[in-house]
Amino acid sequence: MPAFRQVGEKQLPNPILCMAWSPNRDLIALANTSGELLLHRLANFQRVWSLLPNENTGKEITSLAWRPDGKVLAFSVGDTKQVVLCDAENAEILHLFPVEYPASCMHWMEVQDDSSTLSSLFESEDESSHFLPKLPSLPKSYSTTSKIFSEEKSDEVTNLLGEVRLNILVVGGPSGFVELYAYGLYKIATLSGISGTCRSLGLSSDLKSLSVITEIRSTEDNPEIHYIQLDTGLLSSCLPELTKMAHKFTHISTLLQYLRLSLTCMCEAWEDILMQMDLRLTKFVQEKNTSTQVQDEFLELLLWGHASPELQALLMNQLTVKGLKMLGQSIDSSYSSIQKLVISHLQSGSEALLYHLSEVKGMALWKQKFQPLGLDPAAIEDAIVAVGSFTLKASELLQVIDKSMKNFKAFFRWLYVAMLRMSEDHVPPELNKKDLAFVADFLSEHFSANEELFDRKGKYFNVERVGQYLKDEDEDLVSPPNMEGNQWVTFVKQSTYLQESPLLFPTSPQKSLHFVKRMMEGSIDLCLQKPAEVIGHSIKQAVCLRLYTVPESSENTPRLFELPSLWNDKKAGMHYVVFCMPEISPSKIYILRRATDPNRSVPKGLVALNLNTPLNSSIDDETPAPASAVSSYSCLDARFYDNETLTVVLRSLEDDENKMRVLAQLHLNSALSWDEEFTWDLTLRLEQQTEGIPVQGLTWRNQSREMDNIKAQFVAVNGIRKVACMLSANLRHIRVFEMDAEEEEEEEECADESQEMSLDQDRLEDTMTNQSDAGEGRDGVVGAEEAQVAGQGSGDILGETAGSDTL
């Protein structure tokens, strides 16, 4: 009886391009050709959630990678050249960052180091919580661009960092593009010197080396597969310092995102209705026939209560009493919201940013420890100064808001009374003389300067002063603040020492808050990029092995599924590479192993596994089977199940119809012990020197299962959860197994019924694919097929939503 129990099966309307099991949960992520990201659970292969493509993320998912704790799923998008991190619980986008090239593969690993040095390092890591207040969450109504700082996720930094143990996301792409991101957020290395397109990546858990499978294309020959091992010894030797630096810089990157979102909320709080007064006055100046200044028009109305026909038409016909009241309410509400965001979010975020940058500067001054990682005290000091300037600009905006609220309140109250008089309505109590003087000063300050500005630049009136701070433009402010009477500014100008003092942050009175924010981001980016460049240059190629050329028959196979596959044995400190050369030896699987430490040589590093096995044989069989009883198989896909087991999909070479498929577990304990040593000629490809490769036989029939009614081609496994997922050659048919559970008779009958259904689904597949569309229509087809195959009816779809609580 087979030891693999089938627990689910689905026919999907769109071909699957990527699939990856969660490291520690019975969940599998799938990405299809329509740009959909799907999460399914093991039981009945029920769908937990789906993330449809959108303009913010993109439509062409190229690779998947789970964070080692299984709480965050990363996917790369080719059309927008981004890597997106989403919450596995509810599919919310946590973070995204651009990459230079579309990522073709990703690998997310966790550092395995229990040294006391690393443990003691984290004892001081949470000290910032003793000195800094907790950052307030962004308002729900504004945080539409990201869910990082929503109220449900107030502990945003902890949510993204996970546990304090360092984890690194490795991203690879064409033209030798490889980058390393600490915690999936902060770039710690940009690699160079790699040729070809990265097809698979594997960073060892001890950080001593990085394995890369590349595909090098030439105009003359077929693409050639290379195995490259890169020496990442600097990461390993400076692990405590690297962890502390990465943790700190990740905090900084997260705070930058927090400030960006806060500024976005402020821009959303500022409404276009606030520009109505400026637009009306601009049009009034353009259309009025008299040479009278607008300031004089309003002063005449203020002093004598008389308005020219043009001004009266402007106030009564265009602005109107009702419109003035709405404008006043909008200004008061909008300014109050912006003011609260500046005080509670911008200022608190800037203070936290200054704190962390100051700590990084202290780390950089400890040159013995942190200089090898590329921390530059001068660049960090420039970043601190830029953050200080941003903080001063935020304080300047607060003063402008406070003054504008007082100005508009008095101006609108007076204008409201004047308009009521024009319409001969009941007038509230008159303004006192103090208010009249205040309105007169407001008219003199705003209107005279605007008339000069209008005459000089041909622009519009700018009575509203807050919006100019929120515009993402390089131009100077239309109406910068008047600092002539400011005693501190005068004092600093008169002191040469203070002007040159490094203790005072410079100001940019002519620039907007957005402009200063971009300057700050540029300085911090330079500060963050230096370690990535230094660490990247320290990573050197230790070995490059030419394996084989890609046969023309597999040119159309999705590269994410095709061999070679990589595996890291954490206990033994070994890299394993599994591949096949069907054009040379169709019945063999090749396993290459190398030590994670490039300076440690591994004897007997290459072996070939012979898949030809006697029929009905077992491990205990001692009598050799006749040659006629030997069955021949070729390997379609192979993935490491654990350190000692390989899960493979086999195809019978004796099947004329090419339909016979077998799922098998290959136990490698005895197979990885051999006496022969292979001498590798590095000038030749491995496929050109296969004669001397040691060959080991295997018996696997008692750990296999024939696949009926599915043309299986690819497999994804999780040895920790003891599960496997098979994908058909047409990339639409999926079957899921528990690998260490035996089926009972009733379950086998259910499986047979499911297989019969799959035959019917095969006949309808082309029709359903043509009818499936993007968006909700496409989603509905998926749900309908799931219900039909699993026999769940509408309850299956309802169960998907409820099931997400069990993550």
Side-chain angles (χ1 to χ4, degrees):
M1 180 180 294
F4 312 148
R5 182 165 69 94
Q6 180 179 330
V7 294
E9 185 172 14
K10 294 290 181 185
Q11 285 280 356
L12 302 176
N14 296 294
I16 299 300
L17 293 178
C18 318
M19 57 182 182
W21 283 102
S22 170
N24 51 18
R25 303 182 183 185
D26 292 335
L27 299 170
I28 187 170
L30 308 171
N32 59 31
T33 54
S34 67
E36 237 181 333
L37 181 62
L38 309 167
L39 188 69
H40 287 259
R41 70 166 52 87
L42 179 66
N44 296 324
F45 206 69
Q46 291 179 338
R47 190 176 64 193
V48 180
W49 51 253
S50 65
L51 184 63
L52 297 177
N54 59 72
E55 58 183 10
N56 292 327
T57 58
K59 300 180 180 180
E60 183 187 338
I61 298 179
T62 56
S63 60
L64 300 173
W66 285 89
R67 196 170 72 179
D69 62 2
K71 295 180 180 179
V72 177
L73 175 64
F75 62 95
S76 59
V77 190
D79 52 334
T80 57
K81 297 181 182 178
Q82 292 186 124
V83 174
V84 185
L85 310 185
C86 74
D87 192 333
E89 182 73 25
N90 49 24
E92 288 186 354
I93 302 300
L94 298 175
H95 183 68
L96 52 84
F97 57 87
V99 288
E100 185 178 357
Y101 297 96
S104 57
C105 56
M106 295 192 298
H107 174 243
W108 207 335
M109 55 73 64
E110 185 177 65
V111 176
Q112 299 292 329
D113 192 317
D114 298 324
S115 64
S116 57
T117 304
L118 194 60
S119 301
S120 62
L121 181 67
F122 295 125
E123 294 179 0
S124 61
E125 191 59 45
D126 294 328
E127 286 187 355
S128 60
S129 61
H130 301 306
F131 305 110
L132 296 173
K134 190 174 181 179
L135 294 177
S137 302
L138 292 177
K140 280 185 178 181
S141 57
Y142 298 136
S143 56
T144 57
T145 55
S146 176
K147 300 296 183 182
I148 302 177
F149 304 102
S150 61
E151 293 183 3
E152 293 83 358
K153 298 185 180 296
S154 57
D155 200 3
E156 61 284 340
V157 175
T158 303
N159 183 56
L160 284 174
L161 294 182
E163 298 180 358
V164 292
R165 188 185 297 276
L166 178 64
N167 57 75
I168 297 177
L169 174 65
V170 189
V171 181
S175 303
F177 167 73
V178 178
E179 290 182 339
L180 278 62
Y181 291 83
Y183 303 103
L185 299 173
Y186 164 58
K187 183 165 63 176
I188 59 173
T190 300
L191 277 58
S192 59
I194 301 175
S195 301
T197 299
C198 296
R199 292 201 9 199
S200 186
L201 298 161
L203 181 62
S204 64
S205 60
D206 55 13
L207 291 184
K208 292 183 178 180
S209 63
L210 171 66
S211 287
V212 184
I213 300 295
T214 64
E215 177 182 326
I216 300 178
R217 291 181 174 270
S218 64
T219 57
E220 300 177 356
D221 302 323
N222 291 333
E224 191 171 304
I225 300 300
H226 288 193
Y227 168 74
I228 299 173
Q229 186 178 20
L230 301 170
D231 186 349
T232 57
L234 178 63
L235 300 180
S236 177
S237 60
C238 297
L239 177 58
E241 295 80 11
L242 174 69
T243 304
K244 190 171 184 66
M245 182 189 75
H247 214 267
K248 190 62 65 178
F249 274 178
T250 304
H251 271 284
I252 292 172
S253 299
T254 308
L255 286 170
L256 277 178
Q257 178 74 345
Y258 180 80
L259 292 178
R260 292 190 197 104
L261 295 174
S262 299
L263 201 51
T264 300
C265 292
M266 292 167 55
C267 294
E268 293 176 3
W270 186 83
E271 303 173 12
D272 289 337
I273 193 176
L274 306 183
M275 293 293 296
Q276 282 193 9
M277 177 62 75
D278 293 347
L279 296 175
R280 301 296 185 193
L281 290 173
T282 302
K283 186 176 180 180
F284 174 66
V285 173
Q286 293 172 343
E287 296 180 352
K288 71 185 182 70
N289 298 323
T290 63
S291 59
T292 310
Q293 299 286 342
V294 177
Q295 176 190 1
D296 297 337
E297 296 267 6
F298 276 93
L299 284 175
E300 184 177 349
L301 177 62
L302 175 65
L303 296 176
W304 313 111
H306 298 296
S308 65
E310 293 87 352
L311 181 58
Q312 187 169 353
L314 167 70
L315 298 178
M316 302 305 296
N317 299 335
Q318 299 184 30
L319 191 58
T320 73
V321 175
K322 183 178 180 180
L324 182 66
K325 291 179 66 176
M326 291 180 59
L327 183 59
Q329 293 172 358
S330 298
I331 287 179
D332 185 64
S333 173
S334 180
Y335 281 9
S336 298
S337 299
I338 295 174
Q339 191 176 45
K340 291 177 182 178
L341 286 168
V342 173
I343 295 173
S344 61
H345 293 75
L346 277 194
Q347 290 190 333
S348 58
S350 301
E351 291 171 0
L353 202 53
L354 279 174
Y355 173 87
H356 289 294
L357 282 172
S358 298
E359 284 208 335
V360 172
K361 182 182 177 181
M363 292 161 53
L365 293 174
W366 193 356
K367 296 183 178 181
Q368 180 184 0
K369 290 285 188 180
F370 291 95
Q371 192 174 35
L373 296 177
L375 285 184
D376 184 1
I380 299 172
E381 180 62 30
D382 291 341
I384 291 175
V385 170
V387 175
S389 298
F390 178 77
T391 305
L392 291 178
K393 181 58 69 171
S395 299
E396 179 185 310
L397 176 58
L398 279 180
Q399 296 175 6
V400 172
I401 291 175
D402 185 63
K403 187 175 182 180
S404 295
M405 290 179 71
K406 294 178 181 178
N407 288 343
F408 276 115
K409 188 174 183 180
F411 178 67
F412 283 162
R413 187 189 302 126
W414 162 75
L415 199 57
Y416 178 66
V417 171
M419 293 173 68
L420 288 178
R421 286 175 177 169
M422 293 179 190
S423 59
E424 299 181 353
D425 289 339
H426 173 71
V427 178
E430 297 289 341
L431 299 174
N432 55 41
K433 292 183 180 180
K434 183 177 180 181
D435 288 331
L436 289 174
F438 189 82
V439 173
D441 291 340
F442 172 75
L443 292 174
S444 176
E445 178 182 351
H446 286 71
F447 283 69
S448 61
N450 272 285
E451 297 232 23
E452 295 176 2
L453 182 67
F454 189 91
D455 294 338
R456 185 173 69 252
K457 295 186 177 181
K459 292 192 175 182
Y460 51 80
F461 267 67
N462 188 232
V463 177
E464 199 281 320
R465 300 293 176 88
V466 176
Q468 59 181 347
Y469 282 84
L470 304 179
K471 292 181 178 179
D472 193 4
E473 299 175 352
D474 293 335
E475 297 182 0
D476 293 348
L477 295 176
V478 177
S479 301
N482 185 4
M483 297 294 184
E484 292 182 359
N486 189 301
Q487 296 181 358
W488 170 254
V489 174
T490 303
F491 176 65
V492 171
K493 286 183 178 180
Q494 294 174 351
S495 173
T496 306
Y497 175 77
L498 288 178
Q499 289 180 12
E500 299 175 354
S501 173
L503 300 178
L504 296 182
F505 295 133
T507 60
S508 302
Q510 304 292 328
K511 298 299 181 180
S512 68
L513 182 65
H514 251 296
F515 181 87
V516 177
K517 187 261 298 182
R518 282 193 281 115
M519 297 293 292
M520 175 188 70
E521 289 176 336
S523 297
I524 294 179
D525 285 344
L526 288 176
C527 171
L528 300 182
Q529 289 172 5
K530 185 67 179 298
E533 295 174 359
V534 172
I535 295 175
H537 289 312
S538 73
I539 298 176
K540 304 296 183 182
Q541 179 176 297
V543 67
C544 178
L545 303 176
R546 302 169 62 192
L547 299 182
Y548 58 91
T549 56
V550 179
E552 295 181 1
S553 59
S554 63
E555 277 293 313
N556 296 325
T557 304
R559 287 292 183 257
L560 286 169
F561 292 126
E562 198 171 59
L563 295 174
S565 64
L566 296 173
W567 177 262
N568 175 218
D569 186 342
K570 302 177 179 61
K571 294 182 180 179
M574 302 284 283
H575 284 297
Y576 285 91
V577 187
V578 181
F579 57 95
C580 298
M581 294 184 287
E583 303 292 324
I584 306 298
S585 303
S587 297
K588 292 178 182 177
I589 299 176
Y590 297 88
I591 297 180
L592 170 68
R593 62 181 179 184
R594 291 191 62 86
T596 56
D597 185 353
N599 299 319
R600 179 167 67 97
S601 61
V602 177
K604 306 166 188 176
L606 180 65
V607 68
L609 306 180
N610 189 0
L611 296 174
N612 293 339
T613 177
L615 294 174
N616 301 322
S617 65
S618 66
I619 296 178
D620 298 328
D621 286 344
E622 297 181 359
T623 305
S628 60
V630 175
S631 181
S632 298
Y633 293 89
S634 65
C635 179
L636 298 177
D637 198 10
R639 308 288 159 174
F640 265 94
Y641 184 77
D642 53 36
N643 292 334
E644 300 175 349
T645 309
L646 192 66
T647 303
V648 296
V649 178
L650 305 179
R651 176 175 64 88
S652 174
L653 296 177
E654 300 170 358
D655 181 15
D656 296 335
E657 297 183 359
N658 192 25
K659 291 184 178 180
M660 176 66 178
R661 298 290 191 272
V662 176
L663 176 65
Q665 295 274 66
L666 307 183
H667 296 286
L668 306 177
N669 289 337
S670 59
L672 294 181
S673 300
W674 63 92
D675 297 328
E676 300 91 344
E677 184 70 54
F678 175 69
T679 303
W680 199 313
D681 185 352
L682 297 181
T683 62
L684 300 175
R685 294 191 302 271
L686 180 63
E687 65 181 1
Q688 298 172 317
Q689 44 185 328
T690 58
E691 293 80 6
I693 300 177
V695 179
Q696 295 284 91
L698 288 174
T699 53
W700 46 264
R701 297 291 294 184
N702 64 327
Q703 285 293 317
S704 65
R705 173 169 178 162
E706 292 185 1
M707 297 291 102
D708 298 328
N709 305 320
I710 180 173
K711 195 176 180 180
Q713 185 84 13
F714 310 106
V715 65
V717 297
N718 183 345
I720 298 176
R721 306 301 299 180
K722 304 183 186 305
V723 290
C725 178
M726 297 192 66
L727 180 64
S728 64
N730 65 5
L731 308 179
R732 288 191 175 101
H733 192 174
I734 277 183
R735 193 173 288 177
V736 185
F737 296 90
E738 285 185 351
M739 303 301 285
D740 289 353
E742 293 187 358
E743 287 188 315
E744 298 180 1
E745 293 182 2
E746 294 182 359
E747 294 171 333
E748 289 181 346
E749 293 176 0
C750 294
D752 292 337
E753 294 176 2
S754 176
Q755 292 165 5
E756 292 176 3
M757 291 182 184
S758 69
L759 287 175
D760 296 334
Q761 290 291 346
D762 287 335
R763 300 186 188 102
L764 296 175
E765 187 177 69
D766 292 337
T767 304
M768 288 167 34
T769 303
N770 294 333
Q771 293 175 349
S772 62
D773 296 320
E776 296 180 0
R778 178 177 69 248
D779 195 45
V781 173
V782 175
E785 291 186 330
E786 287 175 348
Q788 186 176 3
V789 176
Q792 298 294 324
S794 60
D796 188 8
I797 300 175
L798 295 175
E800 291 167 4
T801 304
S804 62
D805 296 333
T806 64
L807 292 180

